[in-house]
RNA sequence: GCCGGGGUGGCGAAACUGGUCAUACGCGCCUGACUUAAAAUCAGGUGUCUCCUCUGGAGGCGUAAGGGUUCGAGUCCCUUCCCCGGCACCA
């Protein structure tokens, strides 16, 4: 017998699959040809950062196992691949190395593609698409224009997170503890003219449609948390002197009588007007200027401070004037940028009141009577709490009081029920080079004018210097920058910001369905055929970014009539992190291990199987190469035993031999694990057990069936060796063989092992016929000498029989 | 603080709806075979303690800790501890 040499057989079969176009799939030529059993398998597309690491290997092998499993269960499986090729890292690498981002990224893509082929993943490469290709971003721009026309993309001046090191705006999702996620520099708040997508308009739709999704609970919980819907009331406070109304949002209208002061965010547009003409004016200006220079981190950690404006607002409930302050613990981005402060029932307001000696009025009392006045804020909701010091509402239970106060406010035109969200609109403009240009031209006369569809794509221009200087690099190419206004023909100026790469990845799954379409982004009937994605696999780190943005995109496209569905990803699975040195493996952390070396020494099949064998795919795992040897050993064993069986074992079947039974049990187990339980480590164990048993008797009459079963079941994990052995067993094209089906009759045995317990403890086991009546089982149990020893003449009070399992005697 | 996930051998981990002495499968380790030797390969062993008539056998204790439900709990309930992740000045 020849030796198992993965370096020989793996490229051989990869070539066969390519020649046979084994994993390519065409779109249906007509509706009649459509396959109702179509299945869209998708993993999150990789950022082409140089080489693959073990995290990618886990991600894509997982998808590969599902792909093979579904294909062999009769599904037409779409399993495409492409690259998230725009973005900062490529640009930063270009700056460092002095090349062009395009050259760097294209070299990386080529390398990664070859690594992917070497791993034998079943990918339809005809559908490859990458964000940076004009054929792709032409349609990113086209979609942007549709969003713009519909009012879902707009410009506004807004405080943004500005990273002074990367010289760019950073999305909320990528500010971690007040620092830029990429470089760790503390971010600053800056007011800038920015592009936004109106994702907040879809906050409720995004929440409501969660119940259509077969997603992990925790992912949905993270999104709910992120959207942060709170119900409460808007209450209007009046500034008599200035004839001004100031609305606030509160979740605690029940505490309105306890509102003893009022606070505006420093960025609030009315601050200037309120302070004007008071003796506090200079102090207010100074405070506003001072807080503007504070980093987000400082704002969040320092002791609360603020300044009195010299003005008063009237509490609509009490009719009393309360002082208006400005303080940066109030955020302009949430609610109305102003709050009613209730120090008795809010810890933040209490801290502020203590510092500045503002009055504290308690208006809610717990059921057990008055709490200690000096204790600080009583903010928790408790059973049976009641309103006090609240005029006509005193004595009411707090929840009822809240409702009555809102009613009362409504009838006096001073308030109404309201909902507020934590979610902000998605800021997507970036002052960087390597991204999709925004197809807008600014004209002095016409304002912002969309680039006409027929002029798309707006190609990314060549520039001399990508180095960001706070001004977008695109603006440095003046030949590109200044163009005639499409509307009036006078000189206009192109938008020089580029798009966030999350725009590119919010629709790539649609382009894969119809990747070569040069008339449209995609054909609706084709995306409606494949979409939504039946199984999406990717990291949970995208819960509030990519996954939320894509859902938003699809909802808008649905309303624009571009697609016939409202959710992109029907079912979602998160693979765990592959960690190294305790930290998640990633290029930015510099702690990556790639598969190349291991593929070289052990073969792709061993690497694929090992990464899934290491543990449950949805849990984090610490990368270690110890153990890969075990998988390599298993594959060599499989090779040896199957080869041996192929030449020596007889061909006739033995329908109820021990190996046949074991093979059917293994089919049942592997099918259930992959198909229903989504557990990818235990199928390998199960096949190992089968091979171990086969190894003990490789020339048994049913050895051949056991060998064929083992090869067939391991195929999704180790497709190359499986294909080679399948051929040696005298068959062809395992990749398109139907998935084996367990024979239920063979899983049922005519005898079973009866477990005999005394007081719940196992004392003996007997092999008994399956059809014995209960009474007989009990008799046999009692008759066991070991049971006799335990019974020791004691009286049996109860006997519990679990059919086909056990007898428990209670004494 | 709030919301999720998790704690099982020396290690990665099994045990799917409470029911076959919990620890499958693999790693590591130990013993043996083959070998001049090593590697590779193959065979066997491997939670812990106690006892016995000791090439074998019997029993106790063991799934973070404590309590509960049940004939029976790694699995269900309560309390506590620890680890990981998300959110957190969001009114």
């Amino acid at each position: 017998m020849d030796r198992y040499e993965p370096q020989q057989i793996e490229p051989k079969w990869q070539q066969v699959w390519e020649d046979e176009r084994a994993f390519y799939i065409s779109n249906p030529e007509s509706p009649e040809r459509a396959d109702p059993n179509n299945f869209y398998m998708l993993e999150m597309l990789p950022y082409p950062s140089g080489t693959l690491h073990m995290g990618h290997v886990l991600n894509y092998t997982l998808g590969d196992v599902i792909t093979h499993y579904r294909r062999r269960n009769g599904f037409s499986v779409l399993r495409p691949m492409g690259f998230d090729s725009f973005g900062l890292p490529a640009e930063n690498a270009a700056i460092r190395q002095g090349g062009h981002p395009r050259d760097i990224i294209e070299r990386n893509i080529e390398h990664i593609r070859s690594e992917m082929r070497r791993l034998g993943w079943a990918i339809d490469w005809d559908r490859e698409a990458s964000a940076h290709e004009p054929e792709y971003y032409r349609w990113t721009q086209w979609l942007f224009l549709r969003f713009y026309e519909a009012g879902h993309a707009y410009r506004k001046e807004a405080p943004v997170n500005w990273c002074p090191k990367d010289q760019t705006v950073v999305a909320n999702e990528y500010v971690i503890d007040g620092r830029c996620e990429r470089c760790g520099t503390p971010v600053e708040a800056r007011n800038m003219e920015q592009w936004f997508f109106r994702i907040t308009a879809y906050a409720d739709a995004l929440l409501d449609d969660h119940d259509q999704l077969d997603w992990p609970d925790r992912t949905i919980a993270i999104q709910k948390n992120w959207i942060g819907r709170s119900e409460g009331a808007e209450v209007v406070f009046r500034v008599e002197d200035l004839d001004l109304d100031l609305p606030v949002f509160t979740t605690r209208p029940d505490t309105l009588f306890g509102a003893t002061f009022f606070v505006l965010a420093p960025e609030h547009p009315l601050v200037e007007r309120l302070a004007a003409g008071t003796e506090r004016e200079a102090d207010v200006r100074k405070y506003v200027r001072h807080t503007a220079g504070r980093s987000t981190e400082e704002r969040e950690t320092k002791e609360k401070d603020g300044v009195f404006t010299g003005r008063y607002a009237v509490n609509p409930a009490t009719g009393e004037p309360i002082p208006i302050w400005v303080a940066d613990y109030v955020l302009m981005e949430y609610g109305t940028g102003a709050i009613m402060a209730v120090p008795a029932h809010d810890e933040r307001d209490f801290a502020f009141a203590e510092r500045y000696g503002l009055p504290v009025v308690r208006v809610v009392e717990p059921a057990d009577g008055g709490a200690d006045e000096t204790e600080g804020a009583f903010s928790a909701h408790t059973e049976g709490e009641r309103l006090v010091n609240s005029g006509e509402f005193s004595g009411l239970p707090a929840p009822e009081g809240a409702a009555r106060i809102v009613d009362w406010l409504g009838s006096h035109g001073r308030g109404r029920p309201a909902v507020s969200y934590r979610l902000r609109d998605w800021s997507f403009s970036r002052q960087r080079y390597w991204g999709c240009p925004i197809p807008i031209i600014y004209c002095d006369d016409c304002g912002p004018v969309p680039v006409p569809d027929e002029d798309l794509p707006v190609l990314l221009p060549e520039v001399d210097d990508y180095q960001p200087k706070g001004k977008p690099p695109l603006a440095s190419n003046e030949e590109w920058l200044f163009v005639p206004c499409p509307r009036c023909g006078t000189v206009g100026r192109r938008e020089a910001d580029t798009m966030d790469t999350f725009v590119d990845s919010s629709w790539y799954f649609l382009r894969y369905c119809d990747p070569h379409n040069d008339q449209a982004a995609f054909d609706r009937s084709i995306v409606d055929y494949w979409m939504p994605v039946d199984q999406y696999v990717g990291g949970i780190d995208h819960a509030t970014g990519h996954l939320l943005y894509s859902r938003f995109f699809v909802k808008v496209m649905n309303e624009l009539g571009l697609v016939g569905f409202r959710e992109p990803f029907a079912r979602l699975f998160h693979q765990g992190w592959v960690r190294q040195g305790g930290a998640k493996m990633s290029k930015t952390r510099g702690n990556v291990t790639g598969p190349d070396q291991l593929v070289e020494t052990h073969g792709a099949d061993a690497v694929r199987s090992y990464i899934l064998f290491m543990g449950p795919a949805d849990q984090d795992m610490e990368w270690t190469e110890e153990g890969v040897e075990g998988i390599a050993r298993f594959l060599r064993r499989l090779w040896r035993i199957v080869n041996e069986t192929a030449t020596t074992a007889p061909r006739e079947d033995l329908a109820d031999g021990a190996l046949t039974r074991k093979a059917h049990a293994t089919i049942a187990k592997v099918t259930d694990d992959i198909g229903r339980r989504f557990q990818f480590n235990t199928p390998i164990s199960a096949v190992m057990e089968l091979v171990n048993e086969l190894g003990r008797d490789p020339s048994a009459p049913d050895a051949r069936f056991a060998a064929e079963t083992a090869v067939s079941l391991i195929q999704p994990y180790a497709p190359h060796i499986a294909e080679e052995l399948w051929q040696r067993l005298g068959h062809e094209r395992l990749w398109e063989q139907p998935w084996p089906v367990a024979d239920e009759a063979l899983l049922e045995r005519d005898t079973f092992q009866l477990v005999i317990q005394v007081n719940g403890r196992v004392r003996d086991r007997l092999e008994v016929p399956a059809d014995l009546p209960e009474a007989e089982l009990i008799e046999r149990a009692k008759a066991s000498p070991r049971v006799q020893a335990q019974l020791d003449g004691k009286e049996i009070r109860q006997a519990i029989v679990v059919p086909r399992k056990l007898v428990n005697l209670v004494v």
Side-chain angles (χ1 to χ4, degrees):
Chain A
M1 183 202 316
D2 55 342
R3 280 182 43 178
Y4 169 51
E5 285 180 84
Q7 293 73 14
Q8 298 298 314
I9 63 167
E10 290 181 353
K12 167 184 154 190
W13 287 107
Q14 283 158 14
Q15 193 56 50
V16 171
W17 297 328
E18 194 58 41
D19 293 346
E20 305 244 346
R21 294 180 59 81
F23 306 120
Y24 290 70
I25 183 141
S26 308
N27 290 331
E29 281 155 29
S30 62
E32 299 80 56
R33 295 276 193 88
D35 183 352
N37 268 343
N38 71 69
F39 190 92
Y40 192 169
M41 172 68 228
L42 184 68
E43 301 99 304
M44 288 182 187
L45 82 176
Y47 183 81
S49 64
T51 55
L52 295 179
H53 58 68
M54 297 315 299
H56 294 117
V57 176
L58 173 61
N59 190 196
Y60 299 115
T61 304
L62 208 48
D64 211 48
V65 170
I66 299 167
T67 299
H68 284 297
Y69 176 81
R70 286 283 171 175
R71 284 177 46 87
R72 292 181 56 198
N73 274 284
F75 288 84
S76 298
V77 180
L78 171 63
R79 206 284 188 100
M81 184 58 70
F83 298 93
D84 189 16
S85 49
F86 269 140
L88 265 184
E91 189 175 326
N92 287 339
I95 291 167
R96 260 197 321 277
Q97 300 168 25
H100 193 285
R102 185 180 300 112
D103 299 336
I104 289 172
I105 220 77
E106 287 184 350
R107 205 185 315 136
N108 287 347
I109 287 175
E110 200 165 325
H111 180 72
I112 291 178
R113 207 190 283 126
S114 73
E115 284 183 296
M116 288 179 157
R117 287 176 193 271
R118 185 65 192 84
L119 279 154
W121 290 327
I123 292 165
D124 180 348
W125 285 106
D126 272 359
R127 294 173 181 268
E128 183 181 347
S130 294
H132 77 287
E133 295 161 349
E135 299 76 32
Y136 183 87
Y137 71 70
R138 170 183 180 187
W139 300 111
T140 307
Q141 292 173 345
W142 185 88
L143 283 167
F144 160 84
L145 291 176
R146 303 293 83 77
F147 277 52
Y148 179 72
E149 289 161 359
H152 293 299
Y154 67 97
R155 276 165 64 77
K156 72 170 178 192
E157 176 134 321
V160 292
N161 306 299
W162 176 262
C163 173
K165 171 129 186 298
D166 286 341
Q167 290 281 302
T168 189
V169 169
V170 186
N172 286 335
E173 287 82 337
Y174 296 95
V175 177
I176 313 294
D177 295 330
R179 287 165 184 275
C180 171
E181 190 224 28
R182 294 211 180 273
C183 66
T185 313
V187 300
E188 295 165 5
R190 267 204 192 183
N191 257 330
M192 288 182 73
E193 194 64 4
Q194 296 289 314
W195 281 97
F196 287 86
F197 282 123
R198 211 179 293 280
I199 191 171
T200 53
Y202 287 81
D204 279 326
L206 290 166
L207 287 172
D208 292 346
D209 289 346
H210 272 143
D211 57 20
Q212 299 179 18
L213 301 177
D214 185 4
W215 282 22
D217 292 343
R218 57 182 173 141
T219 313
I220 289 177
I222 288 170
Q223 289 200 343
K224 280 192 171 148
N225 211 336
W226 185 258
I227 295 168
R229 180 191 157 100
S230 351
E231 292 187 20
E234 189 173 280
V235 182
V236 181
F237 284 68
R238 185 155 183 82
V239 186
E240 295 289 358
D241 309 352
L242 300 174
D243 191 24
L244 258 184
D245 276 335
L246 293 176
V248 300
F249 173 76
T250 179
T251 52
R252 295 292 306 271
D254 51 324
T255 64
L256 179 56
F257 283 81
T260 53
F261 59 103
F262 191 99
V263 189
L264 289 165
E267 299 84 4
H268 197 287
L270 293 175
V271 166
E272 183 81 7
R273 197 170 146 201
L274 277 164
T278 72
E279 60 199 30
R280 311 286 309 162
E281 190 172 353
D283 286 346
V284 172
R285 282 235 177 81
K286 198 172 139 204
Y287 179 77
V288 169
R289 213 178 315 119
H290 179 63
T291 54
R294 279 175 171 164
S295 70
T296 314
E297 190 180 14
E298 189 189 347
R299 271 190 154 197
E300 287 177 6
T301 49
K302 65 158 177 59
E303 197 184 342
K304 294 186 193 346
D305 59 13
V307 61
F308 177 46
T309 58
R311 300 278 179 190
Y312 293 83
V314 177
N315 181 328
T318 62
E320 296 288 325
I322 59 174
I324 301 174
W325 286 66
V326 174
D328 68 357
Y329 80 93
V330 173
L331 309 175
M332 190 57 222
E333 308 90 74
Y334 187 76
T336 61
I339 62 158
M340 64 179 214
V342 185
H345 305 291
D346 183 285
E347 277 157 43
R348 298 153 300 177
D349 297 343
F350 184 82
F352 195 78
E354 280 235 295
R355 175 160 180 181
Y356 294 105
L358 295 160
V360 178
V361 176
R362 184 167 280 268
V363 292
V364 180
E365 234 175 44
D368 59 7
D372 190 344
E373 293 284 326
T374 61
E375 253 178 49
F378 163 59
S379 55
H381 283 287
T382 55
E383 193 68 30
E385 60 189 12
R386 286 175 183 278
L387 300 190
V388 293
N389 298 324
S390 296
E392 60 185 284
F393 304 101
S394 294
L396 289 173
E400 195 189 331
R404 296 269 295 273
I405 288 173
V406 175
D407 282 349
W408 181 87
L409 284 167
S411 65
H412 290 75
R414 305 310 294 168
R416 57 185 176 87
V419 175
S420 192
Y421 302 90
R422 197 188 155 279
L423 182 71
R424 313 275 199 270
D425 274 340
W426 169 15
S427 149
F428 70 92
S429 40
R430 298 288 179 272
Q431 293 67 49
R432 297 291 296 229
Y433 174 72
W434 190 236
C436 176
I438 297 171
I440 290 285
I441 294 165
Y442 298 101
C443 167
D444 287 344
D445 298 327
C446 314
V449 180
V451 173
D453 287 355
E454 56 273 21
D455 293 346
L456 298 181
V458 174
L459 289 171
L460 191 57
E462 299 304 315
V463 299
D464 298 330
D465 188 4
Y466 320 114
Q467 197 77 42
K469 301 173 193 73
K471 191 175 93 171
L474 297 197
S476 69
N477 184 332
E478 300 202 343
E479 209 173 306
W480 176 87
L481 190 68
F482 295 106
V483 288
C485 165
R487 202 163 288 163
C488 70
T490 60
V491 169
R493 192 175 157 279
R494 286 190 191 278
E495 170 62 74
D497 282 1
T498 51
M499 294 189 210
D500 180 3
T501 56
F502 283 106
V503 181
D504 309 322
S505 59
S506 288
W507 75 283
Y508 76 105
F509 41 89
L510 302 174
R511 184 66 180 173
Y512 285 160
C513 297
D514 192 12
H516 306 297
N517 195 329
D518 58 5
Q519 301 301 308
F522 45 80
D523 184 291
R524 173 165 169 173
S525 66
I526 296 173
V527 296
D528 283 356
Y529 171 70
W530 288 112
M531 288 290 292
V533 170
D534 293 282
Q535 181 63 59
Y536 201 30
V537 176
I540 196 170
D541 52 333
H542 290 109
T544 58
H546 164 62
L547 288 169
L548 204 56
Y549 296 148
S550 299
R551 294 184 61 213
F552 160 66
F553 254 56
V554 162
K555 289 190 186 312
V556 173
M557 286 191 242
N558 176 256
E559 279 174 26
L560 296 177
L562 297 172
V563 302
F565 42 90
R566 294 179 54 80
E567 284 289 339
F569 314 121
R571 194 162 186 223
L572 175 65
F573 181 88
H574 296 300
Q575 81 276 16
W577 299 125
V578 179
R579 288 184 312 237
Q580 183 143 285
K584 127 190 176 198
M585 207 179 264
S586 76
K587 184 73 191 287
T588 33
R589 276 166 237 264
N591 63 337
V592 293
T593 296
D596 298 0
Q597 188 58 44
L598 279 178
V599 170
E600 189 63 35
T601 49
H602 297 288
D605 285 339
V607 175
R608 296 166 52 115
S609 304
Y610 178 58
I611 194 74
L612 289 174
F613 183 69
M614 277 183 79
D618 58 349
Q619 276 173 36
D620 294 358
M621 53 185 91
E622 179 71 22
W623 173 250
T624 162
E625 281 179 28
E626 286 171 37
V628 72
E629 188 54 50
I631 289 288
R633 206 172 284 159
F634 162 67
L635 292 176
R636 285 192 294 264
R637 241 171 102 70
L638 180 73
W639 179 267
R640 183 174 60 80
I641 291 169
V642 172
N643 270 295
E644 208 171 303
T645 305
T647 52
T648 62
R651 282 182 175 272
E652 73 271 22
D653 291 343
L654 184 70
D656 58 351
L659 277 176
T660 305
R661 286 178 186 287
K662 181 67 180 174
H664 280 283
T666 309
I667 293 168
K669 164 86 177 150
V670 173
T671 304
D672 192 47
D673 281 354
I674 298 177
R676 182 181 66 86
R677 296 178 64 204
F678 252 60
Q679 188 152 325
F680 297 91
N681 50 336
T682 44
I684 301 178
S685 299
V687 176
M688 283 173 169
E689 283 188 57
L690 175 60
V691 173
N692 287 348
E693 205 161 311
L694 172 61
R696 274 178 223 120
D697 194 4
S699 52
D702 48 358
R704 181 171 278 270
F705 176 69
E708 285 173 356
T709 302
V711 167
S712 178
L713 293 177
I714 207 66
Q715 183 266 350
Y717 292 83
H720 312 87
I721 189 176
E723 204 61 56
E724 178 71 24
L725 291 175
W726 189 249
Q727 194 180 53
R728 292 178 183 215
L729 283 161
H731 308 295
E732 278 191 315
R733 306 164 77 87
L734 178 55
W735 72 83
E736 51 190 34
Q737 293 308 305
W739 189 252
V741 177
D743 183 342
E744 291 293 329
L746 284 173
L747 297 176
E748 297 290 317
R749 308 197 53 184
D750 45 14
T751 65
F752 72 99
Q753 195 167 48
L754 177 70
V755 173
I756 303 162
Q757 299 179 330
V758 177
N759 287 341
R761 308 190 76 98
V762 178
R763 295 302 173 184
D764 203 359
R765 297 176 308 172
L766 297 174
E767 195 67 26
V768 300
D771 53 1
L772 279 192
E774 287 196 7
E776 177 64 16
L777 290 175
I778 294 169
E779 282 316 305
R780 294 218 186 181
K782 282 189 201 161
S784 153
R786 295 163 107 177
V787 171
Q788 285 294 323
Q790 287 296 325
L791 291 178
D792 194 25
K794 286 176 211 141
E795 185 196 348
I796 295 172
R797 271 195 284 170
Q798 200 185 348
I800 288 143
V801 179
V802 180
R804 305 184 70 83
K805 284 222 165 88
L806 59 78
V807 171
N808 186 13
L809 302 173
V810 186
V811 300

